[in-house]
Amino acid sequence: MSASLTLPLPQEIKDGLLAAVREAGRTEIMPRFRNLDPDAIETKTSADDLVTIADKRAEVVIAAAARQLMPDALIVGEEAVEEAPSILAQMPASDLTVIIDPIDGTGNYAAGVANFGVIVALMMNGETVFGLLYDPVLDDWIWGEKGQGVWFENAAGDKRKLTSAPAKEDTADMYGFCPSYMFAPQEQARILQGYPKFRRVTALRSSCQEYRQLALGKVDFVLNHAAKPWDHAAGALIALECGGEVVSHDGAPYDPAAPKVPLWTFSHRDKAVQAKIKAAFYD
């Protein structure tokens, strides 16, 4: 089936990816939440960059389902790339790519903070066409498809279409997310001086949850120091389908296969307001 995928996507592809994500949440993630042995948590690049047995096991579940649904697809899982970084180099030439972040917000998860999620994105010919942001704690999800909009759904069967917040003229009325602590030390002072110009700027330590809040209309912008595909491909599509925009600082559209930073996500496409937000941090 994968060789002949067209838009809109077959329902069995979307349903299959959702089922895999929910299964991973039910069998691998939630049983270990607040129940991790110390030796089940490992450090990757730094003390703030963690991986747990739940991350690894959940990725196996989701990747296996994706391969069954789309045998020809390149699977780009965060933990698989950690073991084999060369996987990323295959993305530009891939006709069909499934991107998986098995637990986005692993630091929160490992600390017992119920603020994390699972991210899955599907790219066709270099373009993201489907994104899924799943909350395993509440068993609800936000998904978007190119040209089909963005929807919130939950296990009870509730469903509603989402649009992001409209542009606001005064930065004092705006809410934003920015993990200032993850920027280089020389950049942090510049970033932090912009905080008082807004109503509130904070960070959830989970791109999944931050993109969900933007899709729900609760936040006006997100500023990120990095733009890894498993963190941002799905959320960027969802932001676009909600009426927003995702660009690098020079205005180039976000490309998961060749990301540029810093990365800006806006809830709207008003260029004048976007410039005002950027200036609050960088002028």
Side-chain angles (χ1 to χ4, degrees):
M1 168 179 286
S2 58
S4 59
L5 282 185
T6 58
L7 295 178
L9 292 170
Q11 194 63 41
E12 67 181 274
I13 294 292
K14 295 181 283 188
D15 288 348
L17 290 173
L18 174 61
V21 165
R22 294 183 73 194
E23 179 187 357
R26 182 175 61 253
T27 63
E28 306 296 346
I29 298 172
M30 292 312 298
R32 294 181 173 90
F33 182 49
R34 297 178 179 160
N35 192 35
L36 282 170
D37 294 328
D39 60 1
I41 305 171
E42 302 174 24
T43 298
K44 294 195 286 188
T45 60
S46 70
D48 293 324
D49 187 11
L50 304 178
V51 63
T52 74
I53 185 63
D55 294 77
K56 295 177 180 180
R57 294 286 294 272
E59 184 168 304
V60 168
V61 169
I62 300 167
R67 289 190 183 96
Q68 186 170 4
L69 289 165
M70 295 166 281
D72 300 327
L74 171 68
I75 308 296
V76 179
E78 179 180 8
E79 307 314 327
V81 171
E82 180 70 18
E83 298 297 324
S86 61
I87 293 173
L88 282 177
Q90 301 175 48
M91 284 184 62
S94 175
D95 294 333
L96 187 63
T97 304
V98 180
I99 304 171
I100 303 166
D101 191 339
I103 301 180
D104 180 73
T106 299
N108 287 339
Y109 178 81
V113 178
N115 192 47
F116 52 89
V118 183
I119 306 176
V120 173
L122 179 61
M123 296 183 69
M124 294 171 56
N125 300 313
E127 184 177 22
T128 307
V129 297
F130 177 78
L132 176 63
L133 306 173
Y134 176 66
D135 186 331
V137 177
L138 296 176
D139 192 19
D140 63 26
W141 52 95
I142 292 173
W143 64 271
E145 182 179 355
K146 184 184 176 185
Q148 303 299 311
V150 176
W151 301 84
F152 170 89
E153 298 188 61
N154 62 23
D158 299 321
K159 181 177 180 179
R160 66 180 187 271
K161 192 169 186 179
L162 302 179
T163 57
S164 51
K168 300 171 183 173
E169 288 300 321
D170 191 345
T171 59
D173 294 328
M174 299 179 194
Y175 294 87
F177 291 129
C178 174
S180 61
Y181 54 90
M182 299 187 77
F183 282 77
Q186 62 270 23
E187 291 187 75
Q188 288 185 21
R190 172 183 287 181
I191 295 297
L192 289 169
Q193 61 85 29
Y195 278 37
K197 301 172 186 177
F198 298 91
R199 174 157 294 189
R200 182 178 299 169
V201 180
T202 185
L204 298 182
R205 299 180 64 204
S206 167
S207 290
C208 178
Q209 295 295 348
E210 291 181 353
Y211 278 117
R212 281 169 57 100
Q213 288 297 298
L214 186 134
L216 289 164
K218 306 300 183 183
V219 67
D220 303 288
F221 68 89
V222 185
L223 171 59
N224 276 287
H225 79 299
K228 296 174 181 177
W230 43 83
D231 290 327
H232 298 285
L237 171 72
I238 285 170
L240 289 171
E241 287 292 319
C242 275
E245 195 163 25
V246 186
V247 294
S248 61
H249 199 65
D250 64 5
Y254 174 60
D255 179 356
K260 299 171 68 176
V261 293
L263 184 68
W264 290 94
T265 301
F266 299 104
S267 67
H268 52 82
R269 297 174 186 171
D270 187 313
K271 298 298 185 183
V273 175
Q274 290 180 12
K276 188 182 296 186
I277 295 170
K278 288 182 178 181
F281 289 101
Y282 282 96
D283 280 1

